[in-house]
Amino acid sequence: MRVLFLYSDEKPRPGVNTALPQPLVAFKGSRSVFLTQRSSQDELSNAPAVSILELRNEDVELPDSDESLYWCKIFKLDDFAQKHHLVRYEPVFDSSTSVLYLNHLILYECQGLSKELEQLSRDRGHPCFRLQPMHCNTVVANWARGSDGFTFPPEAGYPLESHQATYYMLETHYNYPDYTYDFSPFYRKNLSKQQRNMGIKSRDDTAEPQQQPDDADSDAGDADDSAAMEQQMVDNSGLKLYYTHRLREHDAGVLSVGMDPNWRHIIPPRQEKVVSQGHCIGACTQRAFPPDGINIFAVMSRTHLIGRQVTLRQMRGNAELQPIMRDSNIDPSYQDYRRLTVPTRVLPGDSLVAECIYDSSSRKSITLGGMTTREEICLILTLYYPRQRELTSCHSLPSLPTVLHSLGIEELAS
């Protein structure tokens, strides 16, 4: 749900009916929230036993065009001789300018002690596509735009232990700011004063923003903001980790379910409803899950610009159970973990299906699966306990013959 708000120049007086400010000229803004979900970023219990570690990027040059930048930096964490639990994480923003470029931050656990990982841990980072595949695919923490971070429930924490994992990779997705793609036509035409001051406009905007009469007193502020936009060329954002040696009852883990981000995920253009499904079949959960199953306590759905609905379905035998999660109003600028009221038990042999519905009616050409913002993904991250190490990503993908047949290609030339 998106909550809209307006500021008035006049303070409301008790007992007097005060007229609402005019939407076209008032300072306004919006924020997407799960209205019935209370933020868990409260003061931590046992605070004296909680330590803090910041993992931050190092002078990453921000993109100056519509191209996405995926930046990967390796960290060596060899101080956890004894097991600790990660109990909270939250983003650390470098500046009010660079935060506009941030799409997501994902911390991965890397397996092994290779010389390459050791060398990379001494570097400032690299574009992710330049790195050779390195078994850094176990999600530890995930922040996406709109989120405040995540606090684990009292019974669980993510295990940090150097002899299990010494190296970690921080993946940061940067996008050149475009903050009008998800607004209604009304708000496309009427950007908030804050956005105008920052000089943010849509790729489709060709006209210069009109000066408003009430902006006269803020010329100096406008100049300062514009100068900041021009000067801010690097970013040092990252994640702040809260961890403790007082262990919780359960080790938590992250399981990703959905479609592998790949060009074989094809969404045709000019369609109001396109359904894609990623399957985690029963044979996989049968092999990986403990006999008593796992307990999912939070989920995060991930699509890009044309995602509209996401459902995590659960099958047991020939029956479909109640959906673990359903979101019928996806907001690409607000992707946060949704905590379940009661953890959902998933048993060995159960099947999980990530179902995403897209609206491609505004697209003139096909949309392919991939990690850039103009491409699409269909992923659901689940937080659960107790942790198992065999299955961290459970993705599916249409076979090449299926894709070729759907495109009307019956035979490839040799």
Side-chain angles (χ1 to χ4, degrees):
M1 175 179 293
R2 176 173 287 145
V3 177
L4 308 178
F5 56 87
L6 299 173
Y7 284 109
S8 174
D9 293 332
E10 299 180 7
K11 184 177 181 179
R13 289 177 295 171
V16 177
N17 292 328
T18 305
L20 292 175
Q22 293 296 320
L24 292 179
V25 297
F27 180 87
K28 56 185 173 288
S30 66
R31 170 140 190 198
S32 294
V33 295
F34 296 139
L35 196 59
T36 59
Q37 177 170 289
R38 182 175 180 270
S39 172
S40 67
Q41 299 301 87
D42 301 324
E43 184 176 351
L44 288 169
S45 58
N46 299 324
V50 175
S51 301
I52 297 176
L53 173 66
E54 287 192 4
L55 303 179
R56 301 180 68 152
N57 286 302
E58 225 179 293
D59 293 337
V60 181
E61 294 187 6
L62 297 172
D64 57 3
S65 67
D66 290 348
E67 295 297 322
S68 292
L69 170 63
Y70 279 82
W71 189 262
C72 287
K73 178 172 173 55
I74 302 295
F75 295 87
K76 183 178 182 179
L77 304 182
D78 56 358
D79 297 332
F80 296 107
Q82 68 178 75
K83 183 177 176 180
H84 289 70
H85 269 160
L86 174 67
V87 295
R88 174 192 285 182
Y89 60 84
E90 58 191 36
V92 180
F93 300 131
D94 185 33
S95 75
S96 60
T97 302
S98 63
V99 68
L100 303 177
Y101 290 76
L102 286 172
N103 187 281
H104 73 240
L105 295 156
I106 303 179
L107 183 66
Y108 294 94
E109 181 182 296
C110 304
Q111 303 301 320
L113 298 170
S114 68
K115 293 181 179 179
E116 183 182 10
L117 284 171
E118 175 62 30
Q119 181 60 44
L120 289 171
S121 69
R122 303 173 185 176
D123 296 341
R124 55 182 290 268
H126 302 271
C128 296
F129 72 88
R130 292 184 185 173
L131 299 181
Q132 298 295 325
M134 298 174 299
H135 303 298
C136 298
N137 50 20
T138 300
V139 176
V140 177
N142 179 64
W143 172 88
R145 183 178 294 161
S147 171
D148 294 326
F150 186 80
T151 299
F152 287 80
E155 68 271 19
Y158 191 94
L160 301 174
E161 200 169 5
S162 294
H163 79 270
Q164 292 288 348
T166 302
Y167 297 96
Y168 294 79
M169 182 177 77
L170 179 65
E171 174 191 278
T172 308
H173 179 193
Y174 296 97
N175 270 329
Y176 192 76
D178 179 7
Y179 281 81
T180 59
Y181 65 81
D182 62 340
F183 282 175
S184 67
F186 176 84
Y187 288 99
R188 287 179 195 271
K189 298 177 182 177
N190 303 288
L191 296 178
S192 71
K193 178 179 176 182
Q194 180 183 17
Q195 290 169 317
R196 293 198 311 274
N197 286 346
M198 288 183 174
I200 301 171
K201 54 185 178 180
S202 169
R203 301 186 186 97
D204 300 328
D205 291 340
T206 55
E208 292 293 324
Q210 298 297 314
Q211 181 73 17
Q212 299 294 326
D214 63 344
D215 284 350
D217 296 336
S218 61
D219 288 343
D222 293 351
D224 292 342
D225 287 333
S226 298
M229 284 291 288
E230 293 177 2
Q231 295 172 4
Q232 180 64 38
M233 297 299 295
V234 297
D235 176 64
N236 294 273
S237 299
L239 289 174
K240 179 184 290 187
L241 309 182
Y242 296 77
Y243 63 94
T244 178
H245 64 273
R246 294 184 179 177
L247 300 182
R248 309 283 181 86
E249 181 180 358
H250 300 288
D251 287 351
V254 180
L255 173 64
S256 176
V257 179
M259 296 191 71
D260 196 48
N262 187 284
W263 69 268
R264 282 190 259 169
H265 179 198
I266 297 176
I267 301 172
R270 301 192 182 283
Q271 304 295 314
E272 293 185 358
K273 183 178 181 180
V274 179
V275 180
S276 299
Q277 291 183 338
H279 294 260
C280 183
I281 61 175
C284 295
T285 64
Q286 183 70 53
R287 184 181 70 249
F289 288 1
D292 292 334
I294 63 171
N295 301 278
I296 296 176
F297 59 86
V299 291
M300 176 191 290
S301 59
R302 292 189 58 200
T303 65
H304 285 159
L305 302 187
I306 60 174
R308 296 296 179 264
Q309 300 181 43
V310 175
T311 304
L312 180 58
R313 300 164 61 186
Q314 180 182 7
M315 282 72 171
R316 181 171 297 161
N318 296 324
E320 179 170 0
L321 308 182
Q322 287 293 319
I324 298 174
M325 181 276 293
R326 173 174 289 153
D327 192 336
S328 58
N329 189 29
I330 290 294
D331 183 346
S333 62
Y334 181 61
Q335 299 185 12
D336 200 1
Y337 271 111
R338 177 170 293 188
R339 286 172 288 277
L340 304 182
T341 305
V342 178
T344 298
R345 178 73 60 88
V346 183
L347 298 176
D350 286 0
S351 298
L352 298 174
V353 179
E355 182 178 274
C356 300
I357 297 178
Y358 305 93
D359 179 357
S360 64
S361 56
S362 63
R363 297 282 172 95
K364 297 179 181 179
S365 58
I366 63 173
T367 300
L368 301 178
M371 297 305 293
T372 68
T373 307
R374 289 292 297 178
E375 296 170 319
E376 269 302 336
I377 57 175
C378 178
L379 295 175
I380 298 177
L381 298 179
T382 68
L383 276 166
Y384 71 91
Y385 61 80
R387 184 188 185 196
Q388 49 79 32
R389 294 181 175 274
E390 188 160 342
L391 191 63
T392 58
S393 298
C394 197
H395 300 162
S396 65
L397 194 65
S399 66
L400 184 57
T402 299
V403 173
L404 295 177
H405 180 73
S406 68
L407 296 175
I409 301 173
E410 300 298 335
E411 185 176 353
L412 291 175
S414 58

